[in-house]
Amino acid sequence: NGKRWEGAVHAISSMLDSQLRHNLHSYATLIEIKRNSGKWQEALSVWNAIQQHHKGGERLSQCLAKCLDALSTANQTQRALDIFESEKPKDYVQLNVYAAALRACASTGQWERALSIRTEANWRFRKEANKYYNVRHASTAEMVESYLTTLVVAGRWKHALNVLG
């Protein structure tokens, strides 16, 4: 299995190093491969390279979410949350990035921080959520699941049940 990841990393890296046009989908794939192979430093390097060439859009948000997941998977939760804090004011940041930040909180049981992130996402995306989904909160299944996981890891069962109720 480790050899497969190495092969996939080599194939994607070769593609990116060649004359082929770079795109955010291939970068997102590379970050995911680096995360799954335990190479968070390299995933972070890919993210840093992306920032030099791309300024926004849904795919950039996807790349950031994958980078945050790579860091939190490697027990680099504080680094992931620091990057989240520096990037969240930017226009390209979408709910998937907030969900990744919630997953980072879940990895260490930071339920109070998760509550703050969830509340901020609800305020930031409320207009958009009301426009498209006619709901009060900008909660996606991914957001709710990440938040509930944080509460459970922190032993806040009663609060988790209140969220569900």
Side-chain angles (χ1 to χ4, degrees), residues 69-163:
D69 284 337
L71 292 169
S72 61
T73 299
N75 297 318
Q76 297 293 317
T77 303
Q78 191 55 52
R79 189 180 305 248
L81 293 172
D82 289 346
I83 292 171
F84 168 73
E85 288 297 326
S86 69
E87 294 297 312
K88 74 179 180 184
K90 298 180 181 173
D91 289 338
Y92 76 87
V93 172
Q94 297 178 5
L95 277 172
N96 61 341
V97 173
Y98 280 81
L102 288 175
R103 286 190 294 276
C105 291
S107 70
T108 55
Q110 295 183 45
W111 71 272
E112 291 163 324
R113 181 91 183 259
L115 177 60
S116 173
I117 290 169
R118 181 173 181 245
T119 302
E120 183 179 334
N122 283 340
W123 279 105
R124 179 173 179 174
F125 298 103
R126 183 173 22 177
K127 272 187 183 177
E128 183 178 317
N130 285 333
K131 179 179 175 184
Y132 295 109
Y133 305 111
N134 196 26
V135 294
R136 285 188 12 222
H137 299 289
S139 294
T140 64
E142 183 181 26
M143 290 276 297
V144 172
E145 179 184 358
S146 299
Y147 183 59
L148 288 173
T149 300
T150 305
L151 294 173
V152 169
V153 168
R156 307 290 296 187
W157 293 95
K158 190 174 183 178
H159 192 79
L161 291 173
N162 287 339
V163 169

Side-chain angles (χ1 to χ4, degrees), residues 1 3 20 30 41-42 50 54 61 70 80 83 90 109 118 132 154-155 157 163:
N1 197 14
K3 293 289 182 192
L20 295 175
L30 182 58
Q41 297 98 332
E42 292 178 21
I50 291 168
H54 300 279
S61 185
I83 292 171
K90 298 180 181 173
R118 181 173 181 245
Y132 295 109
W157 293 95
V163 169

